[in-house]
Amino acid sequence: MSVAHAGASVLLALVLWALVKRLTATKARAIDIAGPETDHWLKGNYHRIFQDGLEYNLQLTEKYGGAVRIHALLGEEQLYVSDPRALHHIVVKEQDVYEETDMFIMGNKLIFGEGLISTLGEQHRKQRKMLNPVFSLANMRDLLPTIQPIADQLCDLLVSKITAGEQEIDIVPWTSRGALEYICQAALGYTFDALNPEKTSEYAEALRRFSPTALRLILIRPFVPFFVRNFSLQWRNRIMDWVPIKPLKEFRRIVEVMHRTCKGIYADKKSAIEGTLVDGSLKLNEPQGATGFRSRGRDIISILLRANRSSNVRDMLTESELLGQMNTIIFAGFETTAIATSRLLYLLASRPDAQARLRREVRAAKMAHVGDSARWQDVNLSYDVLMGLPYLDALVRETLRVYPPTSLLSRTTRKSTVLPLEFPVRSASGQEVTSIPLPENTTVIISILAANHNKEIWGEDASDWRPERWLTSTGERVRLSDGENPPDGYVVVERSEEEDKVPGNRNGIKYPGVYASMMTFLGGGRACIGFKFAEMEMKQVLTTLLSTLHFSLPAEKEIYWKMNGLQVPVVRPPAGDGQTPQVPLKIRLVRDDDY
C-alpha cells in the first residue's frame, strides 16, 4: 500500500471517529421549534439552504416564521433565525454568548492569521478599537481621489472593447479585477495591475481562486476544529500531503501565496513607516508594485501601522495580528464588492428607466462642478457629493438589501440561554412561543437574506427591488438614524409621520444592522468594519461608468443568480452551462436619448 493510500485510510478512520462523536453529542440536544423534516441522512437540510437556496430560504421563513429548526450534518439540529429581536440579542445584547463557531474561528485563523474574523473576546475588541479610526470618514475622504483612477481605468478598458457600436462583454472578470485593484491600492498602497489584461499576478489569481475552491470544501470545514485540537501543525501538514483531495491541496497553495505576498508587503510598509518618511509622504524608494506618491501613506495598512506604533504597549497589535488584518481586509473587501457591483450593473441593464434616471442625476451633479475646459464626464465628484446623491444612494441601499452578497452567517451558544422573539412562532408540538431555550453549543444560523426580506418590517413588497422606498415623494433621501445631523441630501422624517416612510422601521421595530437598518453588513461588535469603503467604491464605479457607457441585457441569454452562500451569476442552458460565473451585458457608448 502506498503512503498516500495509507494516509487516506488513516484520515478516513479519523473522520469516521469524529463523525460518531459528533453524532452522539448532538443527538442529546433538541430545539423545540417547528421546522422541516430532514431531506438527507448526512446533509440534513444544509444542501438546500447553502446550494442555490434563494427560494428555499425564503420559503422557510414564510412557512415557519423568524425562528426555524433545521437539520445540519448527521441530523444535528440548528436554529435558523431572522426575527429582529432575536438578532438584536445575538449580535448586540448578548454577543458574548452567541460567538462565532469554532469551525469559523479556527478555519479563518489557519487561512488569514490572527485578524478580525479569526479572534474572539478581548483580543477581538482590542483589534476593533485599533481599526475603527482607520476606517473613519476622514480617511475615506482622503482615499477617494487616490483610487478614482481605478474607476477611470476600468471605464477606458470597457470602452476599448467596444469595436462596433455595441459589444457583448462579460462584466464579472472586470468588476472582479476592479474590486481587487481598489482594495489592494486602498488597503495596501500596492497595485497588482489587475486591470491590465496583458499582466498576470500570482497573488491576484490566488484571490480569484479562493472562493470557488473553498466552496468545494464546504463538507470538510466542520471537521477543522477536530484536527486543530487533536493534531500538531507538523501532523496536519503530513495529513495534507497524504490526503488525495485535489481541492484541499489547491487551497493550501492559495493560502501560501496569500500569506507570502502579504508578509513581503508588510515588511516593505514597515520599512517605509519606520525610516523613509519625508514631510508625511513616502519616498519613491518603495519596491515595484507600490503606488508611491499617489498613495502618500494614506492606504489603510500604512495608517494602521502608524497608529499601532503610537499606541501604548498594552494596546499594540503584534506582528502576527497586523499580518492577519492585511489578509482579512483584502479578502473581505474583494469578492463581495465585486458581486454587488456586478448585480448593480445587471439591475440597471434590466431596468432602463432606473439607468436613465441615475445617469441624469450623475450628469447634473458633475455639470455643477465642471470647470471651463473640462468635459462633465471627466469630473471627479468629491466624497460628500458622491455619497449624497439621493437616487444613487437609494439604488445601492436597495440592491444590498434585496440581494446581500453574503446571505448566511453562523453563531454558537457558549452557554445555555433563552432567545426572545419579536414575533411568535410555533413549537414542534404546535404551541405558540415567544422565546426559545437553547442548550450550550447550539449552532444558530443568522439569515441575512430572510431578515432583509421580512414583510413584517419592510412591507408586503419586501422581496421587490424598489429603490424608491428610500426616497421621499420629492425624490430626497430619508434619514434613518436617530440623534445624528443629516448630511446634505437627506430629509428627516419624524416618527409622528407615516412609519412606512422610514424603510426598515415598523412601529419602532427594526433590525440592529449597522447600515440602513438592514442586516447586510451585520451589526454590533462584529459588524463589517469596511462597509463605508465598499459603499464608496460601488458608487464611484457606477458614476464613472454610467457617464460614458450604456448597459442592456443580451436577448438570447438568461442570467440567473444562484445563492450559494455568496451570490453566483450564471447563464442558463442552452446559451450557458449554468455553472460558470458570468454576467454578459451589451455595452455601448452613451447617446443623447439615454438620459
Side-chain angles (χ1 to χ4, degrees), residues 173-450:
W174 304 113
T175 57
S176 177
R177 287 170 176 263
L180 177 60
E181 196 66 10
Y182 258 98
I183 193 61
C184 284
Q185 289 196 29
L188 304 180
Y190 261 63
T191 175
F192 290 95
D193 289 315
L195 286 171
N196 187 338
E198 298 179 359
K199 291 192 177 183
T200 58
S201 163
E202 184 184 31
Y203 181 68
E205 184 58 28
L207 284 173
R208 282 195 289 269
R209 292 295 307 149
F210 183 95
S211 288
T213 307
L215 285 173
R216 295 167 66 188
L217 300 171
I218 191 168
L219 294 180
I220 294 178
R221 289 185 63 199
F223 303 104
V224 168
F226 168 77
F227 284 100
V228 171
R229 291 190 181 109
N230 292 283
F231 296 92
S232 66
L233 177 61
Q234 181 182 4
W235 273 104
R236 294 201 302 267
N237 281 327
R238 286 186 180 182
I239 292 171
M240 291 282 285
D241 292 334
W242 290 338
V243 69
I245 302 176
K246 289 184 178 179
L248 197 59
K249 295 181 182 296
E250 180 185 356
F251 198 63
R252 180 165 68 168
R253 287 193 295 271
I254 289 170
V255 172
E256 287 172 349
V257 170
M258 290 169 56
H259 179 71
R260 184 176 66 249
T261 305
C262 279
K263 195 170 182 180
I265 294 174
Y266 171 80
D268 296 336
K269 305 299 282 186
K270 186 178 178 182
S271 296
I273 293 296
E274 289 178 349
T276 60
L277 287 175
V278 177
D279 297 329
S281 300
L282 291 177
K283 287 183 178 178
L284 286 178
N285 61 350
E286 292 184 277
Q288 185 177 6
T291 55
F293 269 119
R294 201 174 86 206
S295 174
R296 293 184 181 273
R298 290 180 296 202
D299 58 271
I300 290 167
I301 296 302
S302 291
I303 296 170
L304 176 60
L305 290 178
R306 289 197 297 271
N308 196 55
R309 288 190 72 204
S310 63
S311 299
N312 60 54
V313 175
R314 185 186 59 188
D315 293 333
M316 288 182 69
L317 304 186
T318 66
E319 184 169 302
S320 175
E321 289 178 298
L322 292 168
L323 278 168
Q325 310 313 329
M326 293 175 69
N327 282 316
T328 299
I329 291 169
I330 293 298
F331 172 73
F334 165 49
E335 191 152 26
T336 52
T337 308
I339 291 169
T341 303
S342 295
R343 174 75 82 162
L344 278 159
L345 291 172
Y346 164 78
L347 290 167
L348 291 172
S350 63
R351 285 280 304 273
D353 59 322
Q355 185 177 169
R357 180 174 177 177
L358 177 58
R359 189 175 287 111
R360 289 195 300 271
E361 181 178 73
V362 171
R363 179 177 62 175
K366 289 192 172 188
M367 290 185 70
H369 296 83
V370 70
D372 294 335
S373 59
R375 300 187 317 137
W376 70 264
Q377 293 91 336
D378 299 328
V379 171
N380 297 329
L381 297 175
S382 69
Y383 179 87
D384 292 316
V385 173
L386 177 70
M387 303 304 281
L389 294 177
Y391 194 60
L392 173 62
D393 188 69
L395 283 168
V396 172
R397 286 177 186 264
E398 185 71 345
T399 301
L400 291 173
R401 182 189 70 82
V402 180
Y403 308 109
T406 301
S407 304
L408 302 160
L409 294 171
S410 296
R411 295 288 187 270
T412 189
T413 54
R414 297 300 178 184
K415 64 179 182 180
S416 297
T417 188
V418 176
L419 183 65
L421 302 173
E422 187 68 50
F423 304 107
V425 298
R426 295 287 175 182
S427 69
S429 61
Q431 293 180 320
E432 188 175 277
V433 297
T434 57
S435 62
I436 306 170
L438 295 176
E440 182 180 359
N441 295 326
T442 300
T443 298
V444 176
I445 296 178
I446 298 171
S447 180
I448 295 171
L449 179 77

Side-chain angles (χ1 to χ4, degrees), residues 14 19 46 348 513 574:
L14 291 170
L19 286 174
Y46 253 32
L348 291 172

Side-chain angles (χ1 to χ4, degrees), residues 71-264:
H71 300 275
L73 298 179
L74 290 173
E76 177 187 355
E77 291 186 357
Q78 298 184 356
L79 189 66
Y80 179 97
V81 179
S82 60
D83 181 89
R85 179 176 294 183
L87 290 182
H88 175 76
H89 274 256
I90 292 169
V91 303
V92 179
K93 189 172 182 179
E94 295 185 331
Q95 55 186 295
D96 291 334
V97 175
Y98 298 89
E99 291 188 335
E100 265 82 357
T101 63
D102 291 342
M103 176 186 73
F104 181 88
I105 294 297
M106 293 182 182
N108 286 338
K109 190 169 291 186
L110 290 174
I111 296 167
F112 303 113
E114 293 186 279
L116 268 181
I117 61 174
S118 312
T119 54
L120 295 169
E122 187 57 36
Q123 185 182 16
H124 180 270
R125 283 188 284 272
K126 184 181 76 169
Q127 292 184 5
R128 187 91 187 191
K129 179 181 177 182
M130 180 70 70
L131 282 162
N132 275 333
V134 175
F135 287 90
S136 67
L137 285 178
N139 286 334
M140 295 302 102
R141 287 189 178 95
D142 283 344
L143 270 177
L144 185 65
T146 301
I147 57 181
Q148 174 65 50
I150 302 170
D152 295 334
Q153 187 181 359
L154 176 59
C155 184
D156 291 342
L157 190 151
L158 293 176
V159 169
S160 71
K161 293 184 172 298
I162 302 174
T163 56
E166 189 171 55
Q167 190 77 29
E168 183 179 297
I169 300 172
D170 177 14
I171 63 168
V172 166
W174 304 113
T175 57
S176 177
R177 287 170 176 263
L180 177 60
E181 196 66 10
Y182 258 98
I183 193 61
C184 284
Q185 289 196 29
L188 304 180
Y190 261 63
T191 175
F192 290 95
D193 289 315
L195 286 171
N196 187 338
E198 298 179 359
K199 291 192 177 183
T200 58
S201 163
E202 184 184 31
Y203 181 68
E205 184 58 28
L207 284 173
R208 282 195 289 269
R209 292 295 307 149
F210 183 95
S211 288
T213 307
L215 285 173
R216 295 167 66 188
L217 300 171
I218 191 168
L219 294 180
I220 294 178
R221 289 185 63 199
F223 303 104
V224 168
F226 168 77
F227 284 100
V228 171
R229 291 190 181 109
N230 292 283
F231 296 92
S232 66
L233 177 61
Q234 181 182 4
W235 273 104
R236 294 201 302 267
N237 281 327
R238 286 186 180 182
I239 292 171
M240 291 282 285
D241 292 334
W242 290 338
V243 69
I245 302 176
K246 289 184 178 179
L248 197 59
K249 295 181 182 296
E250 180 185 356
F251 198 63
R252 180 165 68 168
R253 287 193 295 271
I254 289 170
V255 172
E256 287 172 349
V257 170
M258 290 169 56
H259 179 71
R260 184 176 66 249
T261 305
C262 279
K263 195 170 182 180

